[in-house]
PDB file of all heavy atoms in Angstrom:
ATOM      1  N   GLU A 324     -13.901 -14.810  -5.457  1.00 91.00           N
ATOM      2  CA  GLU A 324     -15.384 -15.046  -5.437  1.00 91.00           C
ATOM      3  C   GLU A 324     -16.038 -14.335  -6.679  1.00 91.00           C
ATOM      4  O   GLU A 324     -16.945 -14.818  -7.302  1.00 91.00           O
ATOM      5  CB  GLU A 324     -16.065 -14.474  -4.189  1.00 91.00           C
ATOM      6  CG  GLU A 324     -15.637 -15.327  -2.967  1.00 91.00           C
ATOM      7  CD  GLU A 324     -16.202 -14.741  -1.670  1.00 91.00           C
ATOM      8  OE1 GLU A 324     -17.169 -13.961  -1.711  1.00 91.00           O
ATOM      9  OE2 GLU A 324     -15.608 -15.106  -0.641  1.00 91.00           O
ATOM     10  N   ALA A 325     -15.553 -13.103  -6.993  1.00 90.00           N
ATOM     11  CA  ALA A 325     -16.116 -12.376  -8.119  1.00 90.00           C
ATOM     12  C   ALA A 325     -15.893 -13.118  -9.464  1.00 90.00           C
ATOM     13  O   ALA A 325     -16.768 -13.116 -10.366  1.00 90.00           O
ATOM     14  CB  ALA A 325     -15.543 -10.947  -8.193  1.00 90.00           C
ATOM     15  N   TRP A 326     -14.745 -13.764  -9.573  1.00 92.00           N
ATOM     16  CA  TRP A 326     -14.460 -14.494 -10.816  1.00 92.00           C
ATOM     17  C   TRP A 326     -15.413 -15.726 -10.941  1.00 92.00           C
ATOM     18  O   TRP A 326     -15.697 -16.133 -12.048  1.00 92.00           O
ATOM     19  CB  TRP A 326     -12.949 -14.949 -10.916  1.00 92.00           C
ATOM     20  CG  TRP A 326     -12.039 -13.887 -11.355  1.00 92.00           C
ATOM     21  CD1 TRP A 326     -10.977 -13.398 -10.685  1.00 92.00           C
ATOM     22  CD2 TRP A 326     -11.972 -13.221 -12.653  1.00 92.00           C
ATOM     23  NE1 TRP A 326     -10.294 -12.492 -11.375  1.00 92.00           N
ATOM     24  CE2 TRP A 326     -10.877 -12.426 -12.616  1.00 92.00           C
ATOM     25  CE3 TRP A 326     -12.770 -13.299 -13.804  1.00 92.00           C
ATOM     26  CZ2 TRP A 326     -10.567 -11.599 -13.698  1.00 92.00           C
ATOM     27  CZ3 TRP A 326     -12.496 -12.558 -14.892  1.00 92.00           C
ATOM     28  CH2 TRP A 326     -11.347 -11.616 -14.795  1.00 92.00           C
ATOM     29  N   LEU A 327     -15.784 -16.255  -9.857  1.00 92.00           N
ATOM     30  CA  LEU A 327     -16.656 -17.409  -9.840  1.00 92.00           C
ATOM     31  C   LEU A 327     -18.088 -17.077 -10.225  1.00 92.00           C
ATOM     32  O   LEU A 327     -18.843 -17.976 -10.707  1.00 92.00           O
ATOM     33  CB  LEU A 327     -16.606 -18.192  -8.553  1.00 92.00           C
ATOM     34  CG  LEU A 327     -15.254 -18.755  -8.139  1.00 92.00           C
ATOM     35  CD1 LEU A 327     -15.281 -19.339  -6.731  1.00 92.00           C
ATOM     36  CD2 LEU A 327     -14.839 -19.820  -9.111  1.00 92.00           C
ATOM     37  N   GLU A 328     -18.484 -15.796  -9.984  1.00 88.00           N
ATOM     38  CA  GLU A 328     -19.814 -15.405 -10.357  1.00 88.00           C
ATOM     39  C   GLU A 328     -19.862 -15.177 -11.861  1.00 88.00           C
ATOM     40  O   GLU A 328     -18.892 -14.716 -12.480  1.00 88.00           O
ATOM     41  CB  GLU A 328     -20.122 -14.134  -9.560  1.00 88.00           C
ATOM     42  CG  GLU A 328     -20.051 -14.342  -8.097  1.00 88.00           C
ATOM     43  CD  GLU A 328     -21.131 -13.523  -7.345  1.00 88.00           C
ATOM     44  OE1 GLU A 328     -21.935 -12.915  -7.982  1.00 88.00           O
ATOM     45  OE2 GLU A 328     -21.116 -13.725  -6.095  1.00 88.00           O
ATOM     46  N   PRO A 329     -21.084 -15.346 -12.383  1.00 86.00           N
ATOM     47  CA  PRO A 329     -21.274 -15.017 -13.823  1.00 86.00           C
ATOM     48  C   PRO A 329     -21.123 -13.589 -14.128  1.00 86.00           C
ATOM     49  O   PRO A 329     -21.365 -12.761 -13.280  1.00 86.00           O
ATOM     50  CB  PRO A 329     -22.630 -15.610 -14.156  1.00 86.00           C
ATOM     51  CG  PRO A 329     -23.351 -15.583 -12.890  1.00 86.00           C
ATOM     52  CD  PRO A 329     -22.308 -15.808 -11.809  1.00 86.00           C
ATOM     53  N   ALA A 330     -20.620 -13.292 -15.327  1.00 83.00           N
ATOM     54  CA  ALA A 330     -20.515 -11.890 -15.740  1.00 83.00           C
ATOM     55  C   ALA A 330     -21.866 -11.290 -15.755  1.00 83.00           C
ATOM     56  O   ALA A 330     -22.898 -11.970 -16.068  1.00 83.00           O
ATOM     57  CB  ALA A 330     -19.819 -11.797 -17.100  1.00 83.00           C
ATOM     58  N   LEU A 331     -21.978  -9.994 -15.575  1.00 75.00           N
ATOM     59  CA  LEU A 331     -23.238  -9.361 -15.484  1.00 75.00           C
ATOM     60  C   LEU A 331     -23.785  -8.992 -16.912  1.00 75.00           C
ATOM     61  O   LEU A 331     -23.074  -8.576 -17.790  1.00 75.00           O
ATOM     62  CB  LEU A 331     -23.157  -8.046 -14.686  1.00 75.00           C
ATOM     63  CG  LEU A 331     -22.699  -8.264 -13.228  1.00 75.00           C
ATOM     64  CD1 LEU A 331     -22.633  -6.863 -12.521  1.00 75.00           C
ATOM     65  CD2 LEU A 331     -23.667  -9.134 -12.480  1.00 75.00           C
ATOM     66  N   ASP A 332     -25.086  -8.968 -17.073  1.00 71.00           N
ATOM     67  CA  ASP A 332     -25.638  -8.578 -18.338  1.00 71.00           C
ATOM     68  C   ASP A 332     -26.776  -7.557 -18.110  1.00 71.00           C
ATOM     69  O   ASP A 332     -27.379  -7.012 -19.049  1.00 71.00           O
ATOM     70  CB  ASP A 332     -26.196  -9.761 -19.087  1.00 71.00           C
ATOM     71  CG  ASP A 332     -27.226 -10.586 -18.327  1.00 71.00           C
ATOM     72  OD1 ASP A 332     -27.412 -10.284 -17.159  1.00 71.00           O
ATOM     73  OD2 ASP A 332     -27.754 -11.556 -18.878  1.00 71.00           O
ATOM     74  N   GLU A 333     -26.963  -7.199 -16.889  1.00 70.00           N
ATOM     75  CA  GLU A 333     -27.921  -6.129 -16.509  1.00 70.00           C
ATOM     76  C   GLU A 333     -27.502  -5.313 -15.337  1.00 70.00           C
ATOM     77  O   GLU A 333     -26.794  -5.806 -14.417  1.00 70.00           O
ATOM     78  CB  GLU A 333     -29.300  -6.675 -16.327  1.00 70.00           C
ATOM     79  CG  GLU A 333     -29.406  -7.780 -15.368  1.00 70.00           C
ATOM     80  CD  GLU A 333     -30.775  -8.423 -15.279  1.00 70.00           C
ATOM     81  OE1 GLU A 333     -31.211  -8.957 -16.306  1.00 70.00           O
ATOM     82  OE2 GLU A 333     -31.432  -8.416 -14.175  1.00 70.00           O
ATOM     83  N   ASP A 334     -27.792  -4.011 -15.383  1.00 65.00           N
ATOM     84  CA  ASP A 334     -27.328  -3.059 -14.310  1.00 65.00           C
ATOM     85  C   ASP A 334     -27.888  -3.349 -12.951  1.00 65.00           C
ATOM     86  O   ASP A 334     -27.273  -2.999 -11.931  1.00 65.00           O
ATOM     87  CB  ASP A 334     -27.669  -1.598 -14.740  1.00 65.00           C
ATOM     88  CG  ASP A 334     -26.838  -1.151 -15.936  1.00 65.00           C
ATOM     89  OD1 ASP A 334     -25.765  -1.821 -16.213  1.00 65.00           O
ATOM     90  OD2 ASP A 334     -27.246  -0.171 -16.532  1.00 65.00           O
ATOM     91  N   SER A 335     -29.055  -3.952 -12.855  1.00 63.00           N
ATOM     92  CA  SER A 335     -29.691  -4.247 -11.565  1.00 63.00           C
ATOM     93  C   SER A 335     -28.876  -5.131 -10.724  1.00 63.00           C
ATOM     94  O   SER A 335     -29.019  -5.180  -9.474  1.00 63.00           O
ATOM     95  CB  SER A 335     -31.105  -4.760 -11.785  1.00 63.00           C
ATOM     96  OG  SER A 335     -31.029  -5.957 -12.423  1.00 63.00           O
TER      97      SER A 335
END
Side-chain angles (χ1 to χ4, degrees):
E324 290 176 23
W326 279 119
L327 295 175
E328 301 219 359
L331 300 178
D332 54 358
E333 50 188 61
D334 291 342
S335 62

